Amino acid sequence: MTQDPRSGLLCAALDAAARGWHVFPLRPGTKRPALHGEKTCTRTGPCTDGHRKWEQRATTDPDRIRAAWSRAPFNVGIATGPSGLVVIDLDVPKDKSSSDAPDGAATFQALCERAAHPAPTTYRTRTASGGTHLYFTAPPGVRLSNTAGSVSPLVDTRAHGGYVVAAGSITPAGRYEALCAPVAAPLPGWLLSVLRPAPKPVQAPTGVTVGRSRLYADVALANETRNVATAADGTRNATLLRAARALGRLIASGDLTRVQVEQALREAAAGNATQSQRYYDDVIRRGLDWSIAHNPTRRRAA
Ligand SMILES: [Zn+2]
């Protein structure tokens, strides 16, 4: 006897709601909302006082969830904004023929390394296409929106205005599965600084705007120079080389200038020196040259 697919999906919806996440139905076997759009709204039922989209209709109410999922084997959408979630979506390249292209997980790992932080442990799901969703609770008082590829290639985020497909949902490509850590951890501060909206452009004569990636680059520069300045005896040269390689990527991407990085690392090394300045300059040069040669060049820094 086969189990009614509705009961498994109902369980998935109730499980998400029990975590405090606001769910809504997705069309069976798809990732698209099952609720009507504004153009086809009849201004009846929940829309009597005006159309309400999925983000507003998403609920944690078990009775409403049971009623909805008794009608059809809906997949489960989680509206990330009302759920207080920030979900990082690590995708896999669409073009499977170029198997050596880095996927979102590798890109995110590199992001963590550049920021000198371990990859955070939190509730995560594997998506039907083989990607990963990392769930974090949003920091109070900060309104984050979706991003698409602006943090890193193949790294998207879902927050206000976005949704994710919950574990237990099934598409022709496969099933969404929950993995490891049972709870969503708070979004780490360093990740927040990468994800939060860029500040409004400063109305100064220079007209310089600090974009998200530039903010991130500044954090990375501060972290790496601190590592060098505080490196213990016996680890200093390796730390300096690692810092130069990490920051070289941000020179290649145009987020930092070589002069800026060389100066910061020189100063950090000089303040904690057991070798000559010339020796450290050579380590920095080798690290930067290697990294710039091995990382994609995107654009030049302003
Ligand atoms: Zn409506």
Side-chain angles (χ1 to χ4, degrees):
M1 192 182 117
T2 49
Q3 194 195 21
D4 184 343
R6 281 179 298 186
S7 63
L9 290 161
L10 170 61
C11 284
L14 289 172
D15 178 66
R19 296 169 181 272
W21 300 340
H22 294 232
V23 299
F24 63 96
L26 303 174
R27 291 184 205 178
T30 79
K31 306 195 281 185
R32 298 194 308 279
L35 305 172
H36 66 263
E38 183 155 22
K39 280 184 187 148
T40 54
C41 186
T42 55
R43 299 284 188 270
T44 55
C47 298
T48 305
D49 297 325
H51 177 64
R52 295 175 74 220
K53 63 175 240 172
W54 51 264
E55 187 166 43
Q56 294 145 329
R57 289 177 61 181
T59 183
T60 58
D61 180 348
D63 292 336
R64 283 181 57 197
I65 292 168
R66 280 192 200 94
W69 266 268
S70 68
R71 283 187 224 118
F74 293 119
N75 274 337
V76 182
I78 298 173
T80 37
S83 302
L85 285 173
V86 178
V87 175
I88 299 185
D89 176 8
L90 306 178
D91 214 344
V92 288
K94 296 274 182 287
D95 180 8
K96 299 272 167 43
S97 62
S98 62
S99 56
D100 54 351
D103 59 12
T107 311
F108 184 70
Q109 184 63 42
L111 185 82
C112 295
E113 281 171 20
R114 288 200 308 249
H117 288 284
T121 303
T122 191
Y123 177 85
R124 63 181 68 202
T125 61
R126 183 172 27 239
T127 71
S129 60
T132 308
H133 285 169
L134 304 177
Y135 286 54
F136 296 99
T137 55
V142 178
R143 188 182 168 90
L144 293 167
S145 301
N146 298 333
T147 65
S150 60
V151 175
S152 271
L154 297 172
V155 177
D156 298 344
T157 65
R158 307 271 176 268
H160 282 280
Y163 69 90
V164 286
V165 181
S169 300
I170 302 161
T171 70
R175 192 181 150 89
Y176 285 70
E177 304 274 7
L179 303 171
C180 69
V183 294
L187 184 71
W190 71 268
L191 256 180
L192 172 64
S193 67
V194 177
L195 301 179
R196 72 186 315 162
K200 293 269 189 297
V202 180
Q203 296 304 313
T206 58
V208 173
T209 61
V210 181
R212 190 177 289 116
S213 61
R214 293 291 293 279
L215 270 181
Y216 163 71
D218 289 344
V219 172
L221 183 63
N223 283 336
E224 295 294 347
T225 49
R226 190 192 57 220
N227 290 344
V228 171
T230 58
D233 286 349
T235 67
R236 198 164 291 119
N237 298 343
T239 305
L240 182 60
L241 184 61
R242 199 164 53 233
R245 285 186 169 197
L247 295 172
R249 294 182 202 182
L250 297 169
I251 298 173
S253 68
D255 294 309
L256 294 172
T257 65
R258 182 163 185 141
V259 170
Q260 185 185 10
V261 171
E262 281 174 343
Q263 198 172 353
L265 290 180
R266 264 191 123 206
E267 284 171 13
N272 186 18
T274 53
Q275 303 272 1
S276 68
Q277 184 69 63
R278 189 183 204 147
Y279 179 90
Y280 290 129
D281 285 349
D282 185 54
V283 173
I284 294 167
R285 185 181 50 74
R286 279 190 291 120
L288 293 181
D289 286 349
W290 181 90
S291 188
I292 292 167
H294 286 80
N295 283 286
T297 305
R298 213 166 51 214
R299 59 192 152 73
R300 294 264 68 85

